Structures are given as C-alpha cells and as structure tokens.
Amino acid sequence: MNDIYEGLAAAFWLVVTLDADLIEISLRSLQVSLTALVIASAIALPLGTLLAIRRFRYRRLTISLLNALMGLPPVVVGLIVYILLSRSGPFGVLGLLFTPTAMIIAQVIIITPLIASITHQAMRELWAEYHDLLISLNTSGRQRIMTLILDGRRNLLTASLAGFGRAIGEVGAIMIVGGNIDNATRVLTTAIALETGKGDFALALALGFVLIALAIGVNIAIHWLSRTEREGRW
Amino acid sequence: MSRILPLTLENVTVRRRGKRLIGPVDHTLGADGLTIIIGPNGSGKTTLLRVMHGVERLSEGAVRWAVPDQEAQHHQAYVFQTPIMLRRSVADNLRYPLQLLRRPRRETEAAVALWAERTGLEDRLKLQATRLSGGEKQRLALARALIRDPQVLFLDEPCANLDGASTRAIEILLGAALAAGTRIVMTTHDLGQARRLAKDAVFMLHGRIHETGEAPGFFDAPQSDALRAFLRGDIVT
Ligand SMILES: Nc1ncnc2c1ncn2[C@@H]1O[C@H](COP(=O)(O)OP(=O)(O)OP(=O)(O)O)[C@@H](O)[C@H]1O
Ligand SMILES: [Mg+2]
C-alpha cells in the first residue's frame, strides 16, 4: 500500500512540476500510438466494412486469418519486425530499427487485425439491418459503404479506441524493435518496465498513473470531438 | 401510366434450402391500377412482392419489365413489412433517397418538407427515426418510398398495427399517388381495406396464385372454395 501512496505522490509531483523527462516520454507514447492508430484505422475500417458487405472468393479465409492475427502475441510480432528491419534483414537498408518508426510499424501490425475484426462484427449487424433497403434503393457499392460507415461511426469509433488502448499499453513488441533507448525510443510502458526492474516502484507507479490518465483522456477527447454522447442523436 | 409496365412473371419459382417458397407462378401486372395480394400467413405474399421488385433470387423462371431491368429499377419503390429505419433523424431518412440521386439541395429540402407534412411527421423531423412509434415508422417508410415519385410502388402490409385514423391517412396518401398515376401493388390482411382499394386482386395459397380477378367480382363472386372460405373469415390452411 505504501508504494501506491508514494507512487501517487510522485506522480503528482512529476505532473505538477511538468517533469521534462515525463513530458517527453508521454508525448512520444502518444505520438507513436496515435500515428499507429491513424494508419491502422485507415486500413482496418474500410477492410472490416468491405468484409461485412462484399462476397468474394477468399472472404471466409480472410476473416479467419484476421481472427488468427488478432491473437498474435505482440512479442512475436516484435521479433518478426526486428528480423525484417535488422541490418541483415530485407529492410535493413532503411535503418529503421530502434527508431519510433519501427515501433509504429509493430503497433500497426498488432492493432490492425483487432480494429478490422471489431469493425467487421459491428458492420455485419448494421448491414443485415440495412440490406433490403439499400438494395431496394438501388445503391452503388460505394454508396453502401459510405452509408454504413456514416451510420455505424459510433461502432467504428469504439473499434478504433480498442485499438488505441491496446497500442498505448503494449510493451513487448516496442521493447524489442525500439530498444527502450533514452531520449529516442523510450515510451511510458517500456519506462515502467525499466523502473520496475530497477526497483524504483514509485517512479514506475507514477508513470503507470500517467499512462492510465492518457488512455482515459484520449478516450474522452475522441468521444467529445465526435460528440457521440450528445443526447438525441442516437 | 407507367412506362416500365407491364411486368411479366414467367414460371417463377423460389426455393430456399430445398423448400419451395413460391411457384410456379405466372402473372402479368398491367400498366395502371392497384393490385391487392391476399392470402394466409406464410402463403408467399411477401416473397412474391420481393420477386416482382427484384430483390429475391429466382430459382427458376423469369421476371420481365417493359424496359431494361436497369431502368425499371430506378422507377420502383418498396415499403417493407417491418419498416427499415436508417439510424438517422427523420429528416435525414427522408433526404436519403434523393441524396443518392444527387438531387439539388433545394429540391430535396422542399420534397422533405412536403412529405413530412403529408404524413404528419413535421414535428418529428429532428427525432432519431429509430425512436418513432411503430405507426410513425410505417408512415415514414411510406413517405421515403414516395419521395422519389416512383412509377411502381410495392407495399407489404403498410397498415399492419395501425389504428383506424392512421390507416385512413395512409389510404388517402395511396389514393393520391394512384390518382397521380403511380401503379400500386400491396399485400394486406385487412379484407375491408382490400375491398376499399383493390382494382384487381390476387389470392395466394401454398406459394401459388390460387385465384385472380377484378374487383369487385373477386370479392363478391369468388370462383374457388378456398377463396370463398378465406373471404368468409374461415381458417384456410
Ligand atoms: N430464407 C428462407 N428460408 C426458408 N424459408 C423461408 C425463407 N424465407 C421465407 N421462408 C418461408 O417462406 C414462406 C413464405 O413466406 P412469406 O414471407 O412470403 O409469407 P407471407 O405470405 O408474406 O406471410 P405473412 O402473411 O405472415 O407476412 C414462409 O413459410 C416462410 O417461413
Ligand atoms: Mg409477409
């Protein structure tokens, strides 16, 4: 219990004094995870919607693959990205290993299947509801997708937020491909792992609280921005 | 007068999972008037209507309009047995069919106001459509179907669950559409309504057209025992 109080106190001081390291680490966490979120959403939202409404040859296979990828252990993703980006790997010449870009790549791979899968689930329900009407109104494929995305935007937001939660709290993969280098690739989760290892529980806890606050803060901010909570709209 | 009619159904059969839902059905829809489809639950009325509208896959046979299918599709509207509400406001539901056609904004807004007024939904425009009452949803679905000014309008039990006043309001709307030249095909379980509206009628039984005829003869002098029993209110299975 004492550790928790100390952690809280430490967190409080780190925040009110705008500790430079804390700010830097937090901003990097946000930058990496938000970038990964934007890229993953750009891929996963249309993909999930398409999977819900288009019948094509390898649809079942794609869905199974997606679900399998969703269960992929992040550490393994990290390992594979590491191998691909390492100097002797196929993308070694790009020199991306141990950079935030490598961390973004790993996170995109981890959260894209998750977002696509949740999107697919939600869009399938909406499509079942709308199907007859949209066929009857003679809509084009593009119009169908746009209608579903527009009317299902709240579900899509939920899917994206689930992805963000997973990304910002992820440690295994980014530890491997980022290397937890001070001032370069250290983010909240890797810093927590490091401080815990060193036995500095107060600092680790402080970082943990900031991480939780960030995760909740981004959730609220996105909901507020899209104003989905406004009464009467839903 | 509808350019896309007559509609011809030739030897149409619909099967699902080895079960025959309707067929074989042969029928021709003339260019004007109002056709009522009656029959017991599960006799295939909805399926027949969906076949005509082209949203049900045929197992056998063919459905032919007087014009190419592409063109015919643009001039039909369909009101489903259970109204499908877009998760949007009432006004946005009304706008939707016109937005799909990229009609100018002004024209769209004028049509929305007109149809909201005609269906008595003026003070509901901002409400989320999914929150409407059952009867209001049916009125909205009808307005959304008529807003494109279709040549042919299919209605699947448009007055189910409505009270007398709402039923009357809808019958007036249908009468106006009919007078404006819209061809109407509808199913109903309300035999009083069938008599009031029908120019001709179709009696479905076990997935087949059992009897057809012009009103009022169809109702007053039915040819088959089954139709006679059905009109009398006996249970026909
Ligand atoms: N996809 C399907 N698979 C199997 N059976 C089906 C399917 N769709 C409809 N049916 C069956 O086909 C029959 C005809 O259905 P339909 O909806 O056309 O009847 P209906 O005359 O409209 O009945 P109601 O008066 O209750 O609306 C019903 O027995 C129904 O259960
Ligand atoms: Mg029916």
Side-chain angles (χ1 to χ4, degrees):
Chain A
M1 278 315 280
N2 223 7
D3 283 338
I4 294 186
Y5 288 132
E6 273 177 40
L8 269 174
F12 181 75
W13 281 116
L14 285 175
V15 172
V16 293
T17 56
L18 294 177
D19 182 81
D21 281 346
L22 178 74
I23 304 253
E24 190 205 313
I25 292 175
S26 304
L27 284 182
R28 189 173 300 117
S29 261
L30 268 183
Q31 185 216 330
V32 168
S33 295
L34 283 177
T35 309
L37 177 66
V38 169
I39 297 172
S41 295
I43 301 169
L45 298 181
L47 176 66
T49 307
L50 209 67
L51 282 175
I53 73 168
R54 267 289 154 72
R55 315 261 143 219
F56 51 90
R57 190 107 176 257
Y58 297 110
R59 184 167 155 275
R60 290 245 130 260
L61 188 74
T62 313
I63 293 170
S64 315
L65 198 70
L66 213 58
N67 289 332
L69 284 176
M70 202 166 51
L72 216 58
V75 182
V76 178
V77 173
L79 179 62
I80 293 168
V81 174
Y82 183 99
I83 293 170
L84 292 178
L85 296 183
S86 68
R87 189 140 329 147
S88 54
F91 302 106
V93 284
L94 300 175
L96 290 175
L97 199 61
F98 303 133
T99 65
T101 307
M103 296 153 77
I104 292 171
I105 292 173
Q107 291 201 339
V108 167
I109 295 173
I110 292 167
I111 68 176
T112 299
L114 177 74
I115 300 177
S117 186
I118 300 178
T119 302
H120 169 240
Q121 207 64 259
M123 286 295 142
R124 208 173 51 176
E125 272 169 40
L126 192 60
W127 176 232
E129 197 178 314
Y130 281 12
H131 177 272
D132 284 351
L133 179 68
L134 297 194
I135 300 284
S136 166
L137 287 173
N138 217 7
T139 47
S140 66
R142 203 186 127 77
Q143 287 173 327
R144 284 172 203 172
I145 292 182
M146 292 310 289
T147 303
L148 288 181
I149 287 182
L150 196 64
D151 287 9
R153 59 190 181 279
R154 194 186 203 189
N155 298 321
L156 300 184
L157 193 68
T158 309
S160 290
L161 286 179
F164 178 75
R166 180 135 197 234
I168 196 146
E170 201 281 319
V171 56
I174 49 172
M175 184 73 101
I176 295 179
V177 301
N180 193 23
I181 301 165
D182 202 4
N183 292 322
T185 59
R186 182 162 299 167
V187 291
L188 282 167
T189 50
T190 54
I192 290 172
L194 180 73
E195 297 307 332
T196 307
K198 289 199 303 199
D200 191 344
F201 296 125
L203 184 56
L205 269 173
L207 292 165
F209 288 126
V210 172
L211 179 59
I212 292 173
L214 265 189
I216 295 175
V218 167
N219 261 277
I220 293 173
I222 292 182
H223 267 294
W224 181 77
L225 279 177
S226 61
R227 295 182 196 219
T228 52
E229 304 300 1
R230 207 167 57 188
E231 179 57 19
R233 275 198 78 83
W234 295 95
Chain B
M1 213 29 207
S2 310
R3 280 182 305 107
I4 64 172
L5 287 167
L7 168 69
T8 317
L9 277 68
E10 253 169 50
N11 193 31
V12 167
T13 304
V14 175
R15 272 189 224 91
R16 294 285 177 272
R17 294 177 211 160
K19 185 173 175 272
R20 184 180 56 85
L21 307 192
I22 61 166
V25 168
D26 288 278
H27 192 66
T28 301
L29 275 186
D32 44 27
L34 190 153
T35 302
I36 291 280
I37 302 174
I38 57 172
N41 287 138
S43 57
K45 301 182 295 297
T46 298
T47 311
L48 180 64
L49 219 52
R50 291 171 59 94
V51 161
M52 289 176 173
H53 185 44
V55 293
E56 196 74 63
R57 185 167 44 80
L58 305 181
S59 306
E60 271 167 48
V63 171
R64 269 186 218 97
W65 296 88
V67 296
D69 282 358
Q70 268 282 326
E71 192 193 338
Q73 272 166 10
H74 281 291
H75 300 288
Q76 307 170 40
Y78 192 106
V79 176
F80 293 92
Q81 189 162 359
T82 34
I84 302 172
M85 296 290 107
L86 296 171
R87 298 181 190 174
R88 307 176 176 197
S89 70
V90 170
D92 282 342
N93 266 271
L94 284 174
R95 269 179 207 121
Y96 187 70
L98 298 179
Q99 283 170 340
L100 291 176
L101 300 178
R102 299 179 194 289
R103 290 279 169 79
R105 221 191 140 96
R106 253 167 173 225
E107 192 184 312
T108 302
E109 293 311 308
V112 167
L114 177 69
W115 282 102
E117 197 242 302
R118 283 186 182 169
T119 45
L121 292 168
E122 314 95 308
D123 55 348
R124 297 280 191 285
L125 282 173
K126 289 209 168 65
L127 195 68
Q128 183 72 7
T130 46
R131 291 196 183 162
L132 292 175
S133 78
E136 288 167 342
K137 281 181 187 161
Q138 275 165 311
R139 267 152 44 201
L140 174 55
L142 180 62
R144 194 180 51 198
L146 282 171
I147 205 164
R148 269 192 188 180
D149 196 14
Q151 291 185 25
V152 180
L153 173 63
F154 296 102
L155 302 149
D156 200 355
E157 297 186 34
C159 299
N161 309 317
L162 295 190
D163 63 15
S166 306
T167 301
R168 204 181 129 72
I170 285 195
E171 286 182 11
I172 289 171
L173 283 173
L174 295 183
L178 196 63
T182 308
R183 177 72 166 95
I184 298 177
V185 184
M186 70 183 267
T187 70
T188 181
H189 280 291
D190 178 346
L191 292 177
Q193 177 172 60
R195 282 172 189 274
R196 283 195 297 280
L197 299 179
K199 299 278 184 287
D200 64 291
V202 171
F203 177 50
M204 290 290 291
L205 190 63
H206 305 312
R208 291 213 173 81
I209 294 184
H210 197 78
E211 186 170 341
T212 61
E214 302 278 320
F218 178 88
F219 298 100
D220 297 335
Q223 301 297 305
S224 64
D225 292 341
L227 178 55
R228 202 169 305 131
F230 184 77
L231 290 173
R232 214 168 37 222
D234 290 356
I235 314 257
V236 177
T237 51

